[in-house]
Amino acid sequence: MQGQMWSYIFKRVLLMIPTLLGVLTLTFAVVQFVPGGPVEQLMLELKGKGDAAVSGAESSGGGSNYRGRQGVDAERLAEVKALYGFDKPPVERYFMMLKRFAQFDLGQSYYQHQSVWQLVVSKLPVSISIGLWTFFLTYLVSIPLGIAKAVRDGSRFDAVTSTMILVGYAIPGFVLGVLLLVIFGGGSFLQIFPLRGLTSDNWTELSMIGKVMDYLWHLVLPITASVLGSFAVITMLTKNSFLEEIRKQYVLTARAKGLTEKQVLWKHVFRNALLPLVTGFPAAFIGAFFTGSLLIETLFSLDGLGLLSYESVM
């Protein structure tokens, strides 16, 4: 049995290799060959013309009539190509990229002129903040709610809460975020919560308690938009897990011995029913540190990994 488990893990790890190669190859093709690449972008910056790109440009590695290069002497253009490695053949650039990634060297950002690692590290605190609050609130609400639904299975409470969480699950987070901004962010109705960011402009001037309250005040809308859709899965998983345990023979035996419903639930059912939830706990917890919600961070102008991902492909 243990040998089969390790064999399965080994196969899954091997499947990651072609997946990563496919993603890297596609990313390389997009960055290197689409019009308006890093060479053209820098040429425009040097000429002070902003982003005045013209469609029909050729790839960054060859000759082009792209307006970003017009009026730039050949020597300057050659220097820029050498800076970004476009003076080398595409195949050589591709294998150089693979070598750097194998060494965990993500290189420099073409557009922000900064180390990619530095960019990621600088954006992590915002994404960690959003992720941890979403993670803890989801579990703190969903597990007690799932237990209550299991104990009251078939009741009006169960039906009403099921309807509410399924409606919340059906509404995309970014749609809910827009509604919250319109209603509570000064869009058309109330102006209770801020529209963007995690802190106010005068945050440094506030007291310690004021800073904490200001931070929590800014979190209300993005966390609400992130959390609401997460309740359904954990809540229903908790409910079904508890119902399955409640119907087992050892629960009937415990009741026959004279134990109260609370004793049966918390001393016997609880620890067994939480096993399916505990198995997914580490992945969800680690994911909270490194994943960013692209749409939520973009919508609320939160400078995290999600917004960085959005800006990197624009």
Side-chain angles (χ1 to χ4, degrees), residues 36-37 40-45 47-55 66-68 111 314:
E40 287 83 359
Q41 184 75 13
L42 186 56
M43 289 294 96
L44 287 173
E45 291 179 4
K47 292 165 55 180
K49 291 186 177 180
D51 296 324
V54 175
S55 60
Y66 185 57
R67 185 171 294 178
Y111 300 109
M314 292 303 291

Side-chain angles (χ1 to χ4, degrees), residues 85 88-101:
K88 299 178 177 62
V91 175
E92 184 179 351
R93 297 202 302 267
Y94 176 73
F95 283 104
M96 287 175 60
M97 179 194 69
L98 293 181
K99 180 181 178 181
R100 288 198 304 268
F101 283 174

Side-chain angles (χ1 to χ4, degrees), residues 99-147:
K99 180 181 178 181
R100 288 198 304 268
F101 283 174
Q103 297 171 345
F104 297 97
D105 178 12
L106 301 182
Q108 298 286 318
S109 170
Y110 286 142
Y111 300 109
Q112 300 197 34
H113 311 296
Q114 188 179 354
S115 168
V116 174
W117 275 118
Q118 292 178 357
L119 281 173
V120 171
V121 171
S122 66
K123 309 298 183 183
L124 266 179
V126 174
S127 293
I128 289 175
S129 179
I130 299 297
L132 285 181
W133 279 108
T134 301
F135 171 80
F136 284 119
L137 287 177
T138 298
Y139 276 85
L140 287 174
V141 173
S142 297
I143 291 179
L145 180 59
I147 295 174

Side-chain angles (χ1 to χ4, degrees), residues 20-314:
L20 289 174
L21 285 176
V23 172
L24 289 175
T25 302
L26 180 61
T27 304
F28 175 82
V30 170
V31 173
Q32 303 289 327
F33 298 112
V34 297
V39 172
E40 287 83 359
Q41 184 75 13
L42 186 56
M43 289 294 96
L44 287 173
E45 291 179 4
L46 292 175
K47 292 165 55 180
K49 291 186 177 180
D51 296 324
V54 175
S55 60
E58 296 180 3
S59 69
S60 299
S64 174
N65 293 323
Y66 185 57
R67 185 171 294 178
R69 293 179 178 176
Q70 293 178 5
V72 179
D73 58 90
E75 184 179 353
R76 175 67 65 86
L77 185 59
E79 291 177 358
V80 174
K81 283 186 176 182
L83 176 64
Y84 290 117
F86 286 108
D87 57 332
K88 299 178 177 62
V91 175
E92 184 179 351
R93 297 202 302 267
Y94 176 73
F95 283 104
M96 287 175 60
M97 179 194 69
L98 293 181
K99 180 181 178 181
R100 288 198 304 268
F101 283 174
Q103 297 171 345
F104 297 97
D105 178 12
L106 301 182
Q108 298 286 318
S109 170
Y110 286 142
Y111 300 109
Q112 300 197 34
H113 311 296
Q114 188 179 354
S115 168
V116 174
W117 275 118
Q118 292 178 357
L119 281 173
V120 171
V121 171
S122 66
K123 309 298 183 183
L124 266 179
V126 174
S127 293
I128 289 175
S129 179
I130 299 297
L132 285 181
W133 279 108
T134 301
F135 171 80
F136 284 119
L137 287 177
T138 298
Y139 276 85
L140 287 174
V141 173
S142 297
I143 291 179
L145 180 59
I147 295 174
K149 287 173 63 62
V151 173
R152 299 172 177 83
D153 183 40
S155 66
R156 179 178 296 180
F157 171 81
D158 183 34
V160 171
T161 53
S162 294
T163 302
M164 292 175 62
I165 62 174
L166 290 177
V167 169
Y169 181 72
I171 301 176
F174 69 93
V175 174
L176 179 61
V178 172
L179 291 175
L180 292 174
L181 286 175
V182 170
I183 297 174
F184 300 107
S188 300
F189 299 95
L190 305 174
Q191 190 170 1
I192 301 176
F193 299 103
L195 289 173
R196 54 184 299 164
L198 284 182
T199 56
S200 300
D201 294 335
N202 63 335
W203 190 78
T204 55
E205 303 172 3
L206 300 175
S207 63
M208 181 59 66
I209 297 178
K211 289 180 179 179
V212 173
M213 296 304 297
D214 181 75
Y215 167 73
L216 295 176
W217 180 51
H218 281 76
L219 278 177
V220 172
L221 294 187
I223 293 300
T224 302
S226 300
V227 164
L228 200 61
S230 306
F231 286 153
V233 175
I234 305 299
T235 300
M236 299 309 294
L237 179 61
T238 303
K239 175 190 174 182
N240 294 334
S241 180
F242 269 79
L243 284 177
E244 183 180 353
E245 292 297 322
I246 288 173
R247 293 164 182 166
K248 288 186 176 179
Q249 188 65 40
Y250 75 88
V251 176
L252 296 177
T253 303
R255 287 171 176 166
K257 290 181 178 180
L259 296 179
T260 64
E261 286 297 321
K262 286 187 177 181
Q263 290 176 324
V264 172
L265 182 65
W266 298 110
K267 289 186 177 181
H268 297 278
V269 175
F270 185 78
R271 58 186 178 184
N272 294 324
L274 283 185
L275 288 176
L277 297 173
V278 172
T279 55
F281 189 90
F285 185 75
I286 294 174
F289 283 89
F290 299 105
T291 58
S293 176
L294 187 152
L295 294 174
I296 295 298
E297 290 185 10
T298 303
L299 182 63
F300 291 96
S301 299
L302 302 174
D303 195 15
L305 292 178
L307 184 59
L308 179 65
S309 302
Y310 171 77
E311 292 175 345
S312 66
V313 298
M314 292 303 291

